[in-house]
Amino acid sequence: MRAIFSLFVWLYYCVLFLVFFILIATVWVFTFPFDKYRKVPNKVLSWLAWFLLQASPGWKVSIHGEEKYDPEVPTIFIANHQSFLDMALAYQLPWQMKWVSKRSLALIPVMGWLVWLTGHLTINRKSKSAIKRLGNLVQPLRDNVPVMIFPEGTRSLDGELKRFKNGAFLLAMEYGFRLQPMVIDGGYHAMKSGAKVLNPKVNFTVSVLDPIETKNFEDLNTLKDHAYQLIDEELQRIRTS
């Protein structure tokens, strides 16, 4: 039954991506002259995210802590990364974000084109220029467009939290931006990295934590360790509740 369900989901996703590519490309043509940060195409992409999570009636999403975000303060969101579905889950929050994704995603037909059309940033995490490219996020942040970064750098293979890379923390400390941790759980159980067979019954959780004022930290490692601890503790709390 899981194999049949998985086949349905992958076919459903293929159709969704093709339909929304046409829709978003059309929206982009009419809005790019005045939509500096491609907010309108990104809004349409949030509809795609909603449809992605409708693939199974057994997928339930709970969101907590969204009231903790202040849209008037430049904010870099950081979250753990378990699955392809994490982006769809974070899109259920009531605000838009500019995402940072790995460069290889941009090379995937349709999906990569959607990343470009909706104005998200791609970086080669193995390149020395990756940190420099994060500087492209400074102006959007100053214009109160929040940014989303997965500090682990890639999806976890076992669902547990991996070591954080420095990029998000360097950017936040250098420019004084607020960091806001977020925990996303359930994606690993529904769609593991590299898995073809999916789980049709999963409870997903998105938990937004209190913001971190980077000015209260003297060095990057202390800030990074503090953020890691907050995310790890919330992840364990969700799993045991």
Side-chain angles (χ1 to χ4, degrees):
M1 291 301 297
R2 284 197 178 191
I4 295 172
F5 165 73
S6 301
L7 178 60
F8 162 76
V9 171
W10 292 122
L11 290 173
Y12 171 65
Y13 281 3
C14 287
V15 172
L16 274 181
F17 274 99
L18 288 171
V19 169
F20 272 87
F21 167 68
I22 296 170
L23 181 58
I24 289 172
T26 302
V27 169
W28 177 85
V29 167
F30 288 101
T31 60
F32 83 90
F34 58 86
D35 189 3
K36 181 178 179 180
Y37 296 124
R38 304 185 190 177
K39 291 183 178 181
V40 180
N42 199 21
K43 179 63 177 179
V44 180
L45 188 62
S46 72
W47 303 344
L48 168 61
W50 185 86
F51 278 107
L52 290 174
L53 295 173
Q54 307 311 304
S56 171
W59 286 358
K60 308 297 182 184
V61 181
S62 299
I63 298 177
H64 309 279
E66 62 264 43
E67 73 283 353
K68 296 178 180 180
Y69 167 56
D70 183 352
E72 299 301 318
V73 180
T75 302
I76 300 173
F77 284 92
I78 52 173
N80 60 310
H81 196 11
Q82 298 181 354
S83 166
F84 162 77
L85 291 173
D86 291 343
M87 295 182 74
L89 288 163
Y91 260 107
Q92 306 315 301
L93 293 166
W95 59 81
Q96 293 187 39
M97 295 181 279
K98 183 174 284 290
W99 293 73
V100 177
S101 304
K102 59 185 179 181
R103 177 65 57 82
S104 59
L105 185 64
L107 303 178
I108 302 175
V110 181
M111 187 179 295
W113 304 336
L114 286 172
V115 169
W116 183 83
L117 287 168
T118 50
H120 300 303
L121 181 70
T122 61
I123 62 172
N124 181 356
R125 295 188 174 102
K126 296 181 181 179
S127 171
K128 294 181 179 179
S129 65
I131 297 296
K132 185 177 180 180
R133 276 188 59 78
L134 289 177
N136 293 329
L137 300 170
V138 172
Q139 193 56 51
L141 282 161
R142 287 175 173 167
D143 290 339
N144 288 333
V145 177
V147 164
M148 177 69 187
I149 298 177
F150 293 119
E152 293 168 280
T154 188
R155 290 170 291 178
S156 170
L157 296 177
D158 59 5
E160 299 302 320
L161 197 60
K162 298 170 58 179
R163 290 180 60 187
F164 286 174
K165 298 183 182 300
N166 292 336
F169 306 95
L170 284 170
L171 182 65
M173 292 195 77
E174 181 174 354
Y175 294 95
F177 295 135
R178 173 180 285 183
L179 279 173
Q180 189 136 19
M182 182 190 307
V183 176
I184 304 173
D185 191 46
Y188 173 77
H189 299 289
M191 185 185 295
K192 297 179 183 180
S193 179
K196 295 182 176 61
V197 178
L198 313 182
N199 186 346
K201 189 174 182 179
V202 176
N203 292 321
F204 299 101
T205 301
V206 180
S207 180
V208 180
L209 306 183
D210 291 324
I212 301 171
E213 298 295 345
T214 54
K215 62 184 179 183
N216 296 332
F217 294 82
E218 295 184 358
D219 63 87
L220 182 142
N221 287 330
T222 303
L223 172 61
K224 187 168 64 170
D225 291 344
H226 178 67
Y228 185 100
Q229 182 179 359
L230 291 174
I231 291 176
D232 189 49
E233 287 178 353
E234 178 66 4
L235 184 61
Q236 301 311 317
R237 187 198 67 78
I238 290 170
R239 291 176 173 176
T240 56
S241 62

